[in-house]
Amino acid sequence: MLSLAVLISGGGSNLKALLDAAADPDYPARIVAVFADTDAPGLAHAAAAGVPTAVVRPSDFPSRDAWGEALAEGIRATGAGLVVSAGLMRILPAGFVRAFSPRLINTHPALLPLYPGAHAVRDALAAGAVETGVTVHIIDEGVDTGPVLRQERVAVRAGESESELHERIKRVERPLLVDTVRDIATGALTLSAAEPEHTTTPYPHP
Ligand code: GRF
């Protein structure tokens, strides 16, 4: 059984999808703790499932590195075997990444390497993209640059807003994250920063 620490900043619908999946005895992962950088509404999903939560605020520390070290200590104490960033809207410090990568993954609402960063959906619309999607990837020391594990495409509809498109992406993102974690837990997908056979052609797809 793979134990997960999940990192969030917002509503936590991806976290909720993982919690719901983990409620099935056949799902090979369990969430042992949820960490947020702020009073994220999504923490309520963890509390409702009886999963311990902690808020570790960057403003309580003298530097980003010190914040990252405190977060790392909290995660180590849970014994989690995989750290899942599921809507954490902060760049993790290099020391934190070195401590956990490649057993540190992120979900991103675009087909990386296109549209990295905090405004991926807005950027795809601004670029006039006809297609975008979602990527689950290993976190490395760059911003959304780590090895791709899984991707799914989402067509952009004419005239749709950023929030409409993001919601449609999230409907694809949640099951993709659940499936990717399952595959990591079963060993169908191994995590290594240097195993290109586990990446997929990011874009365009055939
Ligand atoms: C997701 O689309 C994630 O990829 C992005 O922020 C969103 C978080 O959604 N970084 P939620 O909080 O899981 O609903």
Coordinates of all heavy atoms in Angstrom, one line a residue, residues 10-15 86-89 106-109 166 169-170 173-174, ligand 1:
G10 N -6.0 25.2 -2.7 CA -7.3 25.8 -3.0 C -8.5 24.8 -2.6 O -8.5 24.2 -1.5
G11 N -9.4 24.7 -3.6 CA -10.6 23.9 -3.3 C -10.4 22.4 -3.1 O -11.3 21.8 -2.5
G12 N -9.3 21.9 -3.7 CA -9.0 20.5 -3.4 C -9.9 19.5 -4.1 O -10.1 18.4 -3.5
S13 N -10.4 19.8 -5.3 CA -11.2 18.7 -6.0 C -10.3 17.6 -6.4 O -10.8 16.4 -6.4 CB -12.0 19.3 -7.2 OG -11.1 19.7 -8.2
N14 N -9.1 17.8 -6.7 CA -8.2 16.7 -7.1 C -7.9 15.8 -5.8 O -7.8 14.6 -5.9 CB -6.9 17.2 -7.7 CG -7.1 17.6 -9.1 OD1 -7.1 16.7 -10.0 ND2 -7.2 18.9 -9.4
L15 N -7.7 16.5 -4.7 CA -7.5 15.8 -3.4 C -8.7 15.0 -3.1 O -8.6 13.8 -2.7 CB -7.3 16.8 -2.3 CG -7.5 16.3 -0.9 CD1 -6.5 15.3 -0.5 CD2 -7.5 17.5 0.1
A86 N -1.2 18.7 -5.6 CA -2.5 18.7 -6.3 C -3.2 20.1 -6.1 O -4.1 20.2 -5.4 CB -3.4 17.6 -5.8
G87 N -2.6 21.1 -6.9 CA -3.1 22.4 -6.7 C -2.4 23.2 -5.7 O -3.0 24.2 -5.2
L88 N -1.1 22.9 -5.4 CA -0.3 23.8 -4.5 C 0.2 24.9 -5.4 O 0.9 24.6 -6.4 CB 0.9 23.0 -3.9 CG 1.8 23.9 -3.0 CD1 1.1 24.1 -1.7 CD2 3.2 23.3 -2.9
M89 N -0.2 26.1 -5.1 CA 0.1 27.2 -6.0 C 1.4 27.9 -5.6 O 1.4 29.2 -5.5 CB -1.1 28.2 -6.0 CG -2.4 27.6 -6.6 SD -2.2 26.8 -8.2 CE -2.0 28.2 -9.2
N106 N 3.3 16.3 -9.6 CA 2.4 17.4 -9.7 C 1.4 17.2 -10.8 O 1.7 16.5 -11.8 CB 3.3 18.7 -10.0 CG 2.4 19.9 -10.2 OD1 1.7 20.3 -9.3 ND2 2.6 20.7 -11.3
T107 N 0.3 17.8 -10.7 CA -0.7 17.9 -11.8 C -0.8 19.3 -12.3 O -0.9 20.2 -11.5 CB -2.0 17.2 -11.4 OG1 -2.9 17.3 -12.5 CG2 -2.7 17.9 -10.2
H108 N -0.8 19.5 -13.6 CA -0.8 20.8 -14.2 C -1.8 20.9 -15.3 O -1.9 20.0 -16.2 CB 0.6 21.0 -14.8 CG 0.8 22.4 -15.4 ND1 1.0 23.5 -14.6 CD2 0.7 22.8 -16.7 CE1 1.1 24.6 -15.4 NE2 0.9 24.2 -16.7
P109 N -2.6 22.0 -15.4 CA -3.7 22.1 -16.3 C -3.3 22.6 -17.7 O -3.8 23.6 -18.2 CB -4.7 23.0 -15.6 CG -3.8 23.9 -14.9 CD -2.6 23.1 -14.4
H166 N -11.1 25.6 -17.5 CA -10.4 25.0 -16.4 C -11.3 23.9 -15.7 O -10.8 22.8 -15.4 CB -10.0 26.0 -15.3 CG -8.9 25.5 -14.4 ND1 -8.2 26.4 -13.6 CD2 -8.4 24.3 -14.2 CE1 -7.3 25.6 -12.9 NE2 -7.4 24.4 -13.3
I169 N -11.1 20.9 -17.9 CA -9.8 20.3 -17.8 C -9.8 19.5 -16.5 O -9.3 18.3 -16.4 CB -8.7 21.3 -17.8 CG1 -8.5 21.9 -19.2 CG2 -7.4 20.7 -17.3 CD1 -7.6 23.1 -19.2
K170 N -10.4 20.0 -15.4 CA -10.3 19.3 -14.1 C -11.1 18.1 -14.1 O -10.8 17.1 -13.5 CB -10.8 20.3 -13.0 CG -9.7 21.4 -12.8 CD -9.7 21.9 -11.3 CE -10.8 22.7 -10.9 NZ -10.5 23.3 -9.5
E173 N -8.6 15.9 -15.4 CA -7.5 15.8 -14.6 C -7.7 14.9 -13.4 O -6.7 14.1 -13.0 CB -7.2 17.3 -14.1 CG -6.0 17.4 -13.2 CD -5.8 18.9 -12.9 OE1 -6.7 19.7 -12.7 OE2 -4.6 19.3 -12.7
R174 N -8.8 14.9 -12.8 CA -9.0 14.2 -11.5 C -8.9 12.7 -11.8 O -8.1 12.0 -11.1 CB -10.4 14.5 -10.9 CG -10.4 15.9 -10.4 CD -11.7 16.3 -9.7 NE -12.8 16.5 -10.5 CZ -13.3 17.7 -10.8 NH1 -12.8 18.8 -10.3 NH2 -14.4 17.9 -11.6
Ligands
GRF1 C1 -5.8 22.0 -10.8 O1 -6.2 22.3 -12.1 C2 -4.3 22.0 -10.8 O2 -3.7 21.4 -11.9 C3 -3.9 23.5 -10.7 O3 -4.8 24.0 -9.8 C4 -6.0 23.2 -9.9 C5 -6.4 22.8 -8.5 O4 -7.7 22.4 -8.5 N1 -2.5 23.6 -10.3 P1 -8.4 21.7 -7.2 O5 -8.0 22.6 -6.0 O6 -7.8 20.3 -7.0 O7 -9.8 21.7 -7.4

